[in-house]
Amino acid sequence: MTGFDLDDFLPYQLAVAAARVSRGFADRYREEFGITIPEWRVLAHLSAAGAPVSVREIHARVDMDKSKVSRAAARLERAGLVAKAENAVDRRLVALTLTPAGAALVARIVPVALDWQAEMTARLGSAGDVAAFRRVLARVIEEA
Amino acid sequence: MTGFDLDDFLPYQLAVAAARVSRGFADRYREEFGITIPEWRVLAHLSAAGAPVSVREIHARVDMDKSKVSRAAARLERAGLVAKAENAVDRRLVALTLTPAGAALVARIVPVALDWQAEMTARLGSAGDVAAFRRVLARVIEEA
DNA sequence: GGATTATCGTTGCAGATGCAACGAAGTCAA
DNA sequence: TTGACTTCGTTGCATCTGCAACGATAATCC
């Protein structure tokens, strides 16, 4: 009637695609590793940083509200995967690090995540299309 | 350290991109038209259908939980944008239709949405890349 | 026809989320 | 040093969300 089809509308497509993928991932992370996606983001960033990291830094780096980071970190600490210390130089800051258990968990998750990604991209189309997809996706993140 | 970078991880990229785009859209819809994204989805589908539609159908067609559809429809009815009637054949079903005010609102929103989409895709890369992007995105939605 | 089973839309509830406000700590200027 | 201002992380609060349960209606089977 109006000539408008939600299925061809980019924000809708993006939201649906992200929701489906996130759901699949969240289910797997929960069943297999007992963590949520926000927790996974914190773990991943802690692992990549390799050094103590503040809540603020994760918040800025990983697209999560600082309260979300704070709560995820609290859960991870309770689970013994992350250690919270005080930054000696600036006592407002928290110094988050992976515990050995946390590092071990990340080591278990990473290959699973990479496999999942590889298998997924293989199903999505030609290598060229997937490369273009990722280029544009990165652009969306920059520009939006 | 682990060689794992969240920024290159597809589910993360998708989630971030969708969140940013949705946020921008939600702000604009709220300020300019006074509706939320779930409400917009219901309106758009009602407009495309052109005939009375059940909650069940929107739920199946538009990737929303049926409770979400139900609540969005209730708000839209309160706002006078949607009419709820009983399906005469199957009295379990609700028959949702746009009121004239609802149709008028959709007519105002659609050009804005299409403009937004056009402007956005123009900024995202070459026409070829964008086409590939949308191909792959559609594939993600099918497969995931 | 009557009983069982399935489907529809709504609602209660528990959990997650974003925002704002707060106390604690730091910075800076006079 | 003191006082105003900023930044950090946590928490209270209102809202949104998904799931399960429910009453109402319909379909199916005997």
Side-chain angles (χ1 to χ4, degrees), chain B residues 23 54-56 66-67 70 84 92-93:
Chain B
R23 159 71 61 124
S54 69
V55 168
R56 170 92 181 73
K66 57 181 183 162
S67 66
S70 175
K84 253 196 228 176
R92 292 172 303 181
L93 300 182

Side-chain angles (χ1 to χ4, degrees), chain A residues 25 29 40 113 117, chain B residues 4-13:
Chain A
F25 238 74
Y29 279 12
W40 159 239
Q117 177 172 240
Chain B
F4 183 83
D5 187 353
L6 207 51
D7 286 326
D8 295 332
F9 190 48
L10 199 66
Y12 172 72
Q13 292 176 301

Side-chain angles (χ1 to χ4, degrees), chain A residues 116-127 130, chain B residues 139 143:
Chain A
W116 207 87
Q117 177 172 240
E119 194 208 329
M120 180 176 182
T121 53
R123 276 181 304 145
L124 290 185
S126 70
V130 171
Chain B
R139 198 81 164 255
E143 306 245 344

Side-chain angles (χ1 to χ4, degrees), chain A:
Chain A
M1 285 288 120
T2 52
F4 183 83
D5 187 353
L6 207 51
D7 286 326
D8 294 333
F9 190 47
L10 199 66
Y12 172 72
Q13 292 176 300
L14 254 179
V16 172
R20 300 247 171 108
V21 170
S22 285
R23 160 70 62 124
F25 238 74
D27 288 349
R28 179 137 190 211
Y29 279 12
R30 185 171 35 71
E31 289 168 18
E32 206 161 331
F33 307 112
I35 61 170
T36 65
I37 287 184
E39 286 159 21
W40 159 239
R41 288 194 189 176
V42 171
L43 289 178
H45 185 63
L46 250 42
S47 168
V53 171
S54 70
V55 168
R56 170 93 182 72
E57 187 181 331
I58 299 179
H59 154 66
R61 199 66 187 58
V62 134
D63 203 64
M64 285 167 62
D65 188 82
K66 57 182 183 161
S67 66
K68 207 170 172 179
V69 176
S70 174
R71 291 191 248 249
R75 284 192 297 267
L76 290 169
E77 190 193 21
R78 256 179 267 129
L81 300 170
V82 155
K84 252 197 230 176
E86 202 176 58
N87 183 313
V89 176
D90 184 339
R91 296 206 330 266
R92 291 172 305 181
L93 300 181
V94 152
L96 295 169
T97 44
L98 287 179
T99 63
L105 182 62
V106 170
R108 276 208 296 143
I109 297 177
V110 165
V112 172
L114 292 176
D115 273 10
W116 207 87
Q117 177 172 240
E119 194 208 329
M120 180 176 182
T121 53
R123 276 181 304 145
L124 290 185
S126 70
D129 273 12
V130 171
F133 178 72
R134 307 198 69 157
R135 264 200 304 279
V136 174
L137 199 55
R139 199 83 163 254
V140 172
I141 293 173
E142 289 167 22
E143 306 245 342

